[in-house]
Amino acid sequence: MKRLTIAAVVLAMIATPTLAQGRRGGGGGDDKKTETKPKVDEKAYKAALDRIPEPKEKYDPWGVTKPAADPAKKPK
């Protein structure tokens, strides 16, 4: 009898998440959702890119980790 009870409890624990994900007749989500994505305007995109100012000097992301190169010093 004890084995039967344990088996029933384990089966109920396994089946519960499955039933929660199943589709029932009422109130579920709409499958016919029509999401309207805004169209990308190529001219506006290129105009926005043109408005970004060009940097005066190149950015070096590793600049703080490596020492500055000194051309006056020559290795021995």
Side-chain angles (χ1 to χ4, degrees):
M1 188 67 174
K2 188 175 181 181
R3 286 184 182 181
L4 183 62
T5 305
I6 292 173
V9 169
V10 169
L11 185 61
M13 290 174 55
I14 292 173
T16 304
T18 306
L19 290 176
Q21 294 175 2
R23 288 192 170 200
R24 295 185 185 171
D30 292 337
D31 288 338
K32 298 179 181 177
K33 287 185 179 179
T34 55
E35 294 182 17
T36 56
K37 293 182 180 178
K39 284 192 167 185
V40 178
D41 189 12
E42 288 293 322
K43 289 180 184 178
Y45 174 72
K46 290 186 181 204
L49 286 180
D50 290 337
R51 286 183 288 196
I52 297 173
E54 290 293 326
K56 294 180 181 170
E57 58 187 46
K58 291 257 185 187
Y59 175 71
D60 185 14
W62 291 95
V64 296
T65 60
K66 59 184 179 183
D70 193 10
K73 293 183 179 178
K74 292 187 180 180
K76 294 182 179 178

